[in-house]
Amino acid sequence: MVQKKLILGSRIPEMLLYDPEEGYGFVFPDGTVRDEEKRDSLPGEYSVPPVPSFILDVPDGNYKVCINASMTGDKMDLAIRTGPGHLNRRIVQAEREECFAVHVCDEKLKIAFIGNQPFSGSLEITSAPEVPTLFLAGDSTVTDQSSSQLPFCGWGQMLPFYLPEDVAVSNHAMSGRSSKSFIEEGRLERIWNRIRENDFLFIQFGHNDEKDNEGGTMPFSTYQDYLRIYIEGARKRGAFPVLISPMHRRLFDEQGNIINTHGDYLAAMEELSLKEKVPYIDLAGKSKTLYEKLGEEETKKLFMWADPGDYAKYPEGIQDNTHFQESGALEIAKLVAEGMKEHKLEPFFQL
């Protein structure tokens, strides 16, 4: 059983630089261009400027992490990120313990402390094989966007922020994938190799199913057929499938109402959820309500909209009505968490 407690001061001493023989320590950003497919981004790279990431070599599995900050200051704001940019907690009060679960799949538990002052306090890591894992299957709106794509952000990266401390997240969503191509590329098989009894499989597809290409599907036939593979596979392994409709794109009509660009795919998923008796989180409906409440101008702050010069990566600016920056991904993750609570899904019913 892995159990380790460290006391970290406000300065990172030489002895705490990562040592492969010791199996833990801090790694400093080196400017490497990270890859979404490899999930090789460090959590400290999801910051401008980037910060060091603490790495602990551990066997694959789930771990409980408890952090107690002893920092001082009236305006303390410390974001805790793990793995490829998952936002787990924000700490705004010293001497208060915050705990959360982390799923490790590359034998390295990675943590970054991103805030307005250097972190000092205690860090306790304990193996937690009893903790269930929430697996995510989806597209670019869900995926762990690589740090090289900042400020793009998928809602799967933000979901841990809203979860209780006894649930870990394993995000397998990948940009450009449909319910069909995700399976054909062997990505669902990777989930089957890891998923256990009493785990969860959250499924959100639609944006790429609608496309007229090899990954495309038809709403009331092949789309439902492929989704059924996810549902039956999860149940066969004793896990719990949950269907999530794709959120709407940022497209308003002249009256300020959201235009449905997903056609019959929304109705097809809801119909399948009723037939298969699967929990259905209506993220399309929830996002429609959110966008229309904010309005056409304010919703730009959720999506990847930026003026020329806002981001070095996009010198001419960007206008993307499908993908989110962090504030938008946080809002969408919050809607997903609300859906969990509405369905009284254990262990989420107390969210």
Side-chain angles (χ1 to χ4, degrees):
M1 178 178 181
V2 174
Q3 186 168 17
K4 197 172 194 68
K5 184 170 184 177
L6 298 168
I7 306 297
L8 303 179
S10 60
R11 298 183 64 185
I12 302 171
E14 192 74 23
M15 63 180 291
L16 273 182
L17 295 181
Y18 177 75
D19 183 341
E21 293 187 5
E22 292 290 338
Y24 68 92
F26 283 90
V27 173
F28 285 78
D30 61 4
T32 298
V33 176
R34 304 298 182 177
D35 190 304
E36 178 191 349
E37 180 73 68
K38 295 179 180 177
R39 296 294 203 270
D40 58 350
S41 293
L42 300 173
E45 295 171 339
Y46 292 86
S47 168
V48 180
V51 302
S53 300
F54 180 79
I55 294 180
L56 175 66
D57 294 345
V58 295
D60 287 351
N62 290 340
Y63 293 83
K64 180 72 70 68
V65 178
C66 290
I67 293 173
N68 198 322
S70 59
M71 302 154 62
T72 60
D74 296 333
K75 296 181 179 179
M76 180 173 131
D77 185 2
L78 182 71
I80 309 298
R81 288 185 180 267
T82 62
H86 291 191
L87 178 64
N88 294 84
R89 295 291 185 268
R90 294 196 92 97
I91 300 177
V92 296
Q93 180 180 343
E95 306 302 337
R96 175 180 173 179
E97 186 176 67
E98 291 283 355
C99 298
F100 51 88
V102 177
H103 180 77
V104 175
C105 60
D106 59 358
E107 299 186 332
K108 293 186 184 298
L109 196 157
K110 308 165 190 173
I111 304 176
F113 310 95
I114 302 172
N116 55 5
Q117 57 180 299
F119 172 75
S120 63
S122 65
L123 172 65
E124 187 168 0
I125 300 170
T126 308
S127 58
E130 75 285 355
V131 166
T133 305
L134 193 165
F135 289 85
L136 298 176
D139 54 35
S140 58
T141 62
V142 188
T143 192
D144 292 337
Q145 294 282 0
S146 68
S147 56
S148 60
Q149 294 301 310
L150 282 176
F152 277 89
C153 186
W155 66 254
Q157 289 174 291
M158 300 292 103
L159 187 61
F161 181 74
Y162 296 105
L163 298 183
E165 64 183 62
D166 52 357
V167 181
V169 172
S170 181
N171 191 355
H172 291 252
M174 184 63 60
S175 298
R177 272 54 182 191
S178 67
S179 62
K180 175 185 178 183
S181 62
F182 193 88
I183 293 174
E184 291 182 337
E185 293 176 4
R187 300 181 186 280
L188 184 56
E189 189 62 31
R190 297 178 197 174
I191 294 178
W192 295 155
N193 290 337
R194 305 189 71 89
I195 203 165
R196 306 172 302 171
E197 187 176 358
N198 295 322
D199 285 343
F200 290 81
L201 176 59
F202 281 25
I203 309 145
Q204 184 212 281
F205 289 103
H207 285 88
N208 300 302
D209 285 78
E210 304 158 9
K211 296 179 180 179
D212 184 16
N213 56 28
E214 291 184 359
T217 61
M218 297 302 293
F220 292 101
S221 56
T222 49
Y223 180 57
Q224 290 184 334
D225 292 340
Y226 281 108
L227 291 177
R228 194 173 282 110
I229 294 174
Y230 296 79
I231 294 169
E232 293 175 353
R235 285 174 166 168
K236 177 182 177 181
R237 293 163 175 82
F240 305 104
V242 176
L243 290 173
I244 303 177
S245 60
M247 75 293 291
H248 283 292
R249 296 180 174 90
R250 182 187 166 276
L251 184 62
F252 291 82
D253 64 19
E254 294 181 355
Q255 288 72 45
N257 299 315
I258 284 294
I259 298 172
N260 175 23
T261 63
H262 297 305
D264 290 332
Y265 288 87
L266 304 179
M269 179 180 277
E270 184 172 17
E271 179 185 271
L272 181 65
S273 73
L274 295 172
K275 288 181 179 178
E276 298 293 334
K277 296 181 173 56
V278 175
Y280 170 69
I281 297 178
D282 183 12
L283 189 55
K286 289 179 177 295
S287 63
K288 173 181 169 66
T289 300
L290 172 65
Y291 301 164
E292 291 177 353
K293 178 181 178 180
L294 292 174
E296 189 168 1
E297 189 64 28
E298 284 297 305
T299 49
K300 291 179 182 179
K301 298 177 182 179
L302 305 182
F303 288 83
M304 270 306 304
W305 269 66
D307 293 327
D310 283 354
Y311 300 108
K313 187 177 178 63
Y314 306 100
E316 298 180 1
I318 185 172
Q319 297 180 2
D320 186 327
N321 293 313
T322 299
H323 301 98
F324 303 99
Q325 50 187 301
E326 183 174 314
S327 60
L330 263 172
E331 289 296 326
I332 297 299
K334 184 178 181 180
L335 297 181
V336 174
E338 287 178 0
M340 299 180 196
K341 183 177 180 180
E342 289 165 1
H343 283 285
K344 294 183 169 56
L345 299 176
E346 294 274 6
F348 311 115
F349 67 96
Q350 292 181 334
L351 288 172

